[in-house]
Amino acid sequence: MISWFTTASEAGEFNHWVFTWMHRPVLWEWALMALLTVVLPVFFVKNLQRLSSVRWRAVLLALRLLFLLGLILLWLRPAVQLQKVLYKKSDLPVLVDGSRSMSMGEPGGRTRAEQAADFFRENDPAFKRLSKHYNLHAFFFDADARGAALDNLKAPGRADGEFTALGHALSESVRPFREGDVSGVILVSDGVENPPDAPLAGFEETVQHFKKRGIPVFAFGAGSESGVRDLSVQDVRYDGFAFVHNKTTVEARVASRGYPERKVQVNLERDGRIVAAKDIVIGANGEATASFSFTPDKVGRYVYTVSVPPSPDDAIEANNQKPFIVDVIRDKIRVLHVCGHPDYDEQFLRRHLKNNPNVDLISFFILRTVTDLQLVRENELSLIPFPTDELFDKQLHTFDLVIFQNFTYRGYQMSQYLPNIRRYVLEGGAFLVVGGDNSFQLGGYDNTPIEDILPFRLATADPAADAAPFRMRVTEEGLRHPVLRVRPGPEANRAAWETAPELFGLNLGLTPHPEALVLAEHPNLRTGGLPAPVLAVRNAGKGRVFASAADSTWIWHMRDVEQGGDGERYRVFWNNVIRWLIRDPELKHLVVRADRDEVRPGGEMKLDIRVTDEDFQPRAGAELAVQLCKEGQPAPLLERRTTADADGGALVSLPVPDMEGMLRVDVEETGGGAEPLRDTLRLFAASGTGELAEVRTDFDRLRHLAKETGGEFFTLPHALESLPLPERPMARVGRKRDVPIWDSWPMMAFLVFPIVLEWWFRKRKRLN
């Protein structure tokens, strides 16, 4: 048929044809065609009514209808589309689990990975038959899918993946292929699913995706659903930090698989020494929780371990213990808070301090002064006198932080104690001053020992304060300072302060001390030719001082709550102030952090090093020496040298030695002066046990996957004789050409034939 419309060479070039129309009518044309096909036959019938012979009326009507059909075909312009169709085999991914759970030994002495290898080796002829009809694509997978040669599946893989992301691996195996190209998937796994924290394709999401695309999964379960015996520490719940000399709690979840009900001793150890022990009873194939309470006696970073003794028939001893790191920090922060009189600013700050479980707060605020009018005798008042001698002489050294909030010393016979506060700061204390009508010059602190340690110089100003609302402008130095770091990332932090609610009320006549760092300033007002400071910090001797010339930061909390928030900006800001003042270890000038506390032997650790100057501004170009040591051994395992970038940061990758145990990273700034900055980070190297914490297979997951996608589930060993795979030869049109039919002589003959024949019949039969 093709040669009727084409030359011989064209017929050989194309191997397929389809019928098509070269004219595709629009809606109004279809309506016109429908009208003609109804009206014209009616007209034909009425026109032929004058013929007396019914038989000839039927013959002539058929000829006219045939002519009408020819006109319609001529209008639609029929054609034959010649196509060059290319055929290829459909795709069939084959996935084999390469995670650590596949290294689990099963009854009979074979691991799950070895069972999988046996399956491919014993069914090699069947896979060769499949390769004649399908393109087989082999993958090993754990947290991701990795391409492999099909012959490599006949030997046990390394089975060392730390995670199993079954859903993600299935999605990745079919992602390169177009819709309809994949006939199915062959999956060999134990069904364990424990994807990493990173966002990957979920298992159930993948099941529904395969179901929608019509991709059946034929799952083969490696391992057994019963028979493995194992005792393991599944999980440890703990706080990442604890307070020295304060009791802390750790909870461990222990699982028993394959054993009858039994009593098990669970130990909590530190540095190989048992800190606490507890006996628990675990039911058959059950779980139980052991809770420990202990009191750390030293500040530092320590590795604790929860362990259970292994049994002779324990499948995996590596999961019988689980180490974790606890940072032991000092006891509660002891704070003395003195306020001139109650107001919103005092109320919000005092409530914030009281709600902080790490703060031991002693708060005094003045409800009346000695000059207030009293209508009753002194001994009948319930208010206690202000214990100035006890607070500012005998007990001052016991406080970690002293706060003067809108407070004046005048009227309380405190002049003699101001030198004590100055000395307290110079010797390492922390001092916080909040403005108001009883603070700074208005509180009489100019030319006193207190002015010597403030970030501000105090001068007489008229007016002494300004009550107009303003949005403080954070300086570039302030944006980099830990006090004003209320959002992660520089851009988010800048945006947070640019949209902060307006403050109102500002002490005037303040100029920055030469040793101070201004964090925020007034957008318009100026003092001594400089913008009026709002927030400033200063290192005074061995101590630190923070001062706020505004007494309305509480508005940040209130406005945030009004808009449905929880006052995060206010809370984080004051937490940062306190942490900076008391020299929180996390706010050191040289800090090294790792991407994780636990590293894998033979793997890699990534270190983030940050170095700043005394004002917490980036120390660009600082030279840093990095050493990796095994705890308890002075000689370093390896050394690196690096230089801080413009932001005072350095990223260093170190190979982890192929050994387990506690490691120590020492970082030192070299060439920075007489007292170089140093920091130490402790972490431990341990073989990951996340894959081995649970020894059971999860064949129910594989059954669900196969059923939902239209596949089947089998357990190993299995003879692969045949699979109900849809054989989908892929057809793709490479070239095509339309050959018109409507302008050919047969089409013209089909159109003219009814007219000529009717004329002939009428003449020959004398039909009227």
Side-chain angles (χ1 to χ4, degrees):
M1 180 177 290
I2 294 178
S3 61
W4 182 26
F5 303 102
T6 63
T7 64
S9 61
E10 288 177 329
E13 184 179 355
F14 300 100
N15 59 3
H16 187 69
W17 66 272
V18 294
F19 189 80
T20 185
W21 306 100
M22 296 184 68
H23 177 64
R24 301 185 183 277
V26 294
L27 183 61
W28 72 268
E29 291 178 306
W30 281 115
L32 178 61
M33 184 188 302
L35 180 63
L36 291 176
T37 55
V38 172
V39 172
L40 289 179
V42 173
F43 174 77
F44 291 157
V45 170
K46 289 184 177 182
N47 181 259
L48 295 173
Q49 288 294 330
R50 63 180 179 271
L51 294 178
S52 57
S53 172
V54 175
R55 180 169 64 88
W56 281 108
R57 278 191 305 206
V59 170
L60 295 181
L61 179 62
L63 290 174
R64 292 183 181 185
L65 291 177
L66 192 62
F67 175 71
L68 178 62
L69 177 62
L71 287 176
I72 293 174
L73 291 177
L74 187 63
W75 182 35
L76 295 176
R77 296 159 60 189
V80 171
Q81 186 177 88
L82 306 179
Q83 298 177 344
K84 179 67 173 180
V85 179
L86 307 175
Y87 294 92
K88 76 179 188 70
K89 294 183 288 186
S90 59
D91 298 294
L92 182 64
V94 182
L95 284 81
V96 180
D97 195 338
S99 62
R100 295 194 73 199
S101 62
M102 292 291 286
S103 66
M104 196 82 65
E106 295 288 337
R110 305 289 286 170
T111 67
R112 298 170 187 175
E114 290 171 336
Q115 290 181 11
D118 292 343
F119 168 71
F120 287 100
R121 189 167 51 253
E122 293 166 2
N123 289 285
D124 185 56
F127 279 100
K128 288 181 178 178
R129 289 195 299 271
L130 284 173
S131 65
K132 295 179 180 179
H133 304 281
Y134 306 94
N135 292 318
L136 302 184
H137 306 276
F139 298 91
F140 282 109
F141 74 91
D142 39 62
D144 208 342
R146 306 178 303 277
L150 189 63
D151 286 342
N152 291 349
L153 305 184
K154 301 176 187 177
R158 292 180 60 183
D160 58 355
E162 294 295 333
F163 301 99
T164 306
L166 184 53
H168 176 67
L170 286 168
S171 296
E172 287 295 297
S173 69
V174 301
R175 185 175 55 83
F177 309 115
R178 290 188 290 187
E179 192 81 22
D181 285 10
V182 182
S183 292
V185 172
I186 295 176
L187 171 69
V188 181
S189 173
D190 56 12
V192 174
E193 168 84 345
N194 55 357
D197 295 334
L200 301 176
F203 176 76
E204 197 57 40
E205 176 186 351
T206 300
V207 171
Q208 297 306 316
H209 179 65
F210 273 46
K211 184 177 180 179
K212 182 179 179 181
R213 287 184 61 176
I215 303 176
V217 177
F218 299 90
F220 296 83
S224 61
E225 293 187 275
S226 61
V228 177
R229 290 191 165 193
D230 187 68
L231 188 65
S232 63
V233 179
Q234 291 276 298
D235 187 29
V236 178
R237 298 179 181 177
Y238 65 99
D239 291 326
F241 64 92
F243 295 106
V244 66
H245 304 308
N246 281 263
K247 187 175 291 186
T248 188
T249 302
V250 170
E251 287 187 355
R253 182 163 54 90
V254 182
S256 176
R257 308 300 184 211
Y259 292 109
E261 182 177 305
R262 61 188 302 196
K263 180 186 289 187
V264 175
Q265 177 179 310
V266 186
N267 298 326
L268 176 66
E269 303 176 12
R270 192 188 85 181
D271 299 332
R273 179 177 59 86
I274 294 179
V275 177
K278 181 165 290 189
D279 291 335
I280 59 173
V281 176
I282 309 179
N285 290 315
E287 298 179 359
T289 299
S291 181
F292 300 96
S293 294
F294 63 99
T295 304
D297 56 357
K298 292 182 180 180
V299 174
R301 167 172 272 217
Y302 298 99
V303 176
Y304 288 82
T305 303
V306 173
S307 63
V308 291
S311 302
D313 55 352
D314 208 331
I316 299 178
E317 292 189 12
N319 61 16
N320 285 50
Q321 60 179 8
K322 195 170 186 66
F324 57 97
I325 287 181
V326 175
D327 289 310
V328 181
I329 60 179
R330 64 177 174 177
D331 201 352
K332 290 186 176 182
I333 304 166
R334 186 169 163 83
V335 177
L336 172 61
H337 179 213
V338 182
C339 183
H341 58 77
D343 59 15
Y344 279 122
D345 207 39
E346 173 272 329
Q347 178 183 343
F348 275 77
L349 182 56
R350 183 162 56 90
R351 184 171 60 186
H352 173 74
L353 294 171
K354 288 179 65 176
N355 290 339
N356 190 333
N358 300 330
V359 171
D360 181 12
L361 177 64
I362 296 178
S363 183
F364 286 90
F365 51 94
I366 310 303
L367 293 178
R368 66 180 180 85
T369 68
V370 293
T371 61
D372 289 335
L373 178 63
Q374 298 175 194
L375 301 179
V376 295
R377 294 193 301 271
E378 183 78 21
N379 59 6
E380 294 181 8
L381 294 173
S382 61
L383 302 179
I384 65 171
F386 190 30
T388 52
D389 186 64
E390 183 72 17
L391 293 176
F392 300 110
D393 189 5
K394 298 178 181 178
Q395 297 294 325
L396 183 60
H397 67 281
T398 67
F399 294 103
D400 298 298
L401 171 62
V402 175
I403 303 174
F404 276 12
Q405 184 170 16
N406 195 17
F407 172 74
T408 177
Y409 69 96
R410 294 181 297 196
Y412 306 104
Q413 300 179 352
M414 277 189 58
S415 299
Q416 58 185 319
Y417 300 114
L418 299 186
N420 292 358
I421 297 173
R422 176 181 179 275
R423 183 168 56 252
Y424 159 81
V425 171
L426 295 178
E427 291 178 354
F431 189 38
L432 192 161
V433 182
V434 179
D437 55 5
N438 286 315
S439 190
F440 301 119
Q441 309 97 311
L442 297 176
Y445 290 104
D446 46 322
N447 299 316
T448 68
I450 295 297
E451 185 180 10
D452 290 345
I453 57 175
L454 289 177
F456 301 140
R457 296 291 196 194
L458 309 183
T460 303
D462 187 18
D466 184 83
F470 69 95
R471 178 174 287 112
M472 72 178 192
R473 182 173 60 208
V474 179
T475 64
E476 288 299 320
E477 294 80 6
L479 287 171
R480 292 190 291 263
H481 199 279
V483 164
L484 296 185
R485 203 173 297 151
V486 297
R487 293 285 190 277
E491 294 305 320
N493 191 56
R494 182 187 298 273
W497 288 115
E498 288 177 350
T499 58
E502 291 183 330
L503 301 174
F504 51 88
L506 183 72
N507 287 80
L508 301 179
L510 308 178
T511 56
H513 189 281
E515 298 176 1
L517 179 71
V518 176
L519 306 183
E521 56 196 19
H522 196 283
N524 302 316
L525 298 179
R526 303 180 73 82
T527 302
L530 298 173
V534 179
L535 305 176
V537 295
R538 179 186 171 190
N539 293 310
K542 297 180 180 179
R544 289 179 174 177
V545 183
F546 174 88
S548 171
D551 60 350
S552 53
T553 58
W554 60 272
I555 202 69
W556 294 338
H557 186 285
M558 180 170 286
R559 292 285 183 264
D560 190 26
V561 172
E562 286 177 352
Q563 298 172 8
D566 60 356
E568 181 188 19
R569 188 194 334 259
Y570 179 87
R571 186 176 63 253
V572 174
F573 167 72
W574 281 112
N575 282 343
N576 288 348
V577 170
I578 295 171
R579 291 176 61 204
W580 180 81
L581 285 169
I582 67 171
R583 298 180 183 272
D584 188 303
E586 289 297 311
L587 299 181
K588 296 179 293 187
H589 292 293
L590 176 61
V591 178
V592 55
R593 295 185 179 91
D595 57 341
R596 59 186 64 189
D597 288 337
E598 180 179 342
V599 294
R600 185 179 171 192
E604 185 181 54
M605 71 172 72
K606 295 182 179 180
L607 305 176
D608 183 5
I609 306 172
R610 298 288 160 180
V611 57
T612 58
D613 59 21
E614 284 298 314
D615 291 326
F616 285 88
Q617 303 307 299
R619 184 173 287 181
E623 298 179 359
L624 303 169
V626 183
Q627 292 184 340
L628 177 64
C629 309
K630 183 172 178 58
E631 187 71 4
Q633 296 181 0
L637 300 173
L638 57 91
E639 296 180 282
R640 291 283 189 277
R641 289 190 173 273
T642 187
T643 302
D645 58 22
D647 294 325
L651 298 177
V652 179
S653 295
L654 298 180
V656 181
D658 195 9
M659 56 189 294
E660 297 198 12
M662 190 76 171
L663 299 175
R664 189 183 77 248
V665 177
D666 294 326
V667 180
E668 179 178 332
E669 181 200 15
T670 59
E675 296 184 6
L677 300 174
R678 296 184 178 89
D679 192 26
T680 296
L681 175 69
R682 287 180 171 82
L683 60 164
F684 55 88
S687 299
T689 58
E691 272 281 312
L692 305 181
E694 180 58 78
V695 299
R696 292 185 298 186
T697 57
D698 193 352
F699 288 174
D700 287 341
R701 181 183 299 274
L702 299 179
R703 290 189 182 96
H704 169 71
L705 171 64
K707 180 180 178 181
E708 288 295 313
T709 59
E712 292 186 32
F713 171 75
F714 311 92
T715 57
L716 298 182
H718 180 80
L720 187 64
E721 297 179 357
S722 64
L723 289 176
L725 283 164
E727 186 173 344
R728 300 174 179 169
M730 299 289 108
R732 295 285 180 265
V733 178
R735 287 190 59 212
K736 60 184 179 181
R737 185 169 74 85
D738 291 333
V739 179
I741 298 176
W742 61 272
D743 62 350
S744 62
W745 68 262
M747 187 66 191
M748 294 299 104
F750 180 79
L751 186 63
V752 173
F753 174 74
I755 301 174
V756 173
L757 192 60
E758 181 179 354
W759 175 82
W760 186 79
F761 276 137
R762 284 181 177 276
K763 297 294 283 183
R764 184 173 182 82
K765 301 297 182 181
R766 299 181 183 276
L767 300 175
N768 296 320

